[in-house]
Amino acid sequence: MHEVSLAGSILKLVEGAAMREGFVRVRELRLEVGKLAQVELHALRFALEAIAAGTLLEGAIVVFDMPEGAAWCPHCCATVAYSERGQPCPTCGGYDLKPTAGMEFRVKDMLVADN
């Protein structure tokens, strides 16, 4: 389950920001996780909750923004909606799609407290 590793990386990123910016607690953490990012949101939320105890993430509300997927189809020369890897082009049925959106995985923003 790579979500545990992702949760650890998010905690390190947040701790680094806290050192630079001087906050001591995160009230809300907003993550952008594209629908093609291959991240299981329930597992990531569980992992974040599991590692949060005693850290500045303890008690934080975690919100997920989930951008839709899109892909470029070289056969019909169009950008098409793409919700799952391995699907054919909804326009021409081709399988040579190149994902162009929906693969994001990042901390979008945080609501923090300095006391």
Side-chain angles (χ1 to χ4, degrees):
M1 192 173 7
H2 74 289
E3 285 78 1
V4 173
S5 177
L6 293 173
S9 295
I10 290 167
L11 178 59
K12 284 183 182 181
L13 185 142
V14 170
E15 288 174 337
M19 289 179 63
R20 285 189 311 276
E21 304 296 327
F23 60 88
V24 296
R25 189 163 58 96
V26 176
R27 292 185 179 166
E28 182 176 293
L29 177 67
R30 183 174 303 275
L31 301 174
E32 187 173 47
V33 183
K35 291 193 176 181
L36 299 175
Q38 298 180 325
V39 174
E40 172 55 51
L41 297 183
H42 296 292
L44 179 58
R45 184 181 301 278
F46 180 81
L48 285 167
E49 289 172 1
I51 68 168
T55 74
L56 60 150
L57 283 179
E58 186 171 12
I61 295 168
V62 179
V63 178
F64 294 107
D65 290 342
M66 298 172 290
E68 295 293 328
W72 170 254
C73 178
H75 301 288
C76 60
C77 296
T79 297
V80 296
Y82 193 52
S83 60
E84 188 177 327
R85 292 178 188 267
Q87 288 183 327
C89 174
T91 305
C92 72
Y95 280 92
D96 196 23
L97 296 169
K98 308 289 188 240
T100 59
M103 300 163 294
E104 302 84 356
F105 183 79
R106 65 182 173 159
V107 174
K108 192 168 183 182
D109 58 38
M110 297 179 277
L111 178 62
V112 300
D114 57 5
N115 55 24

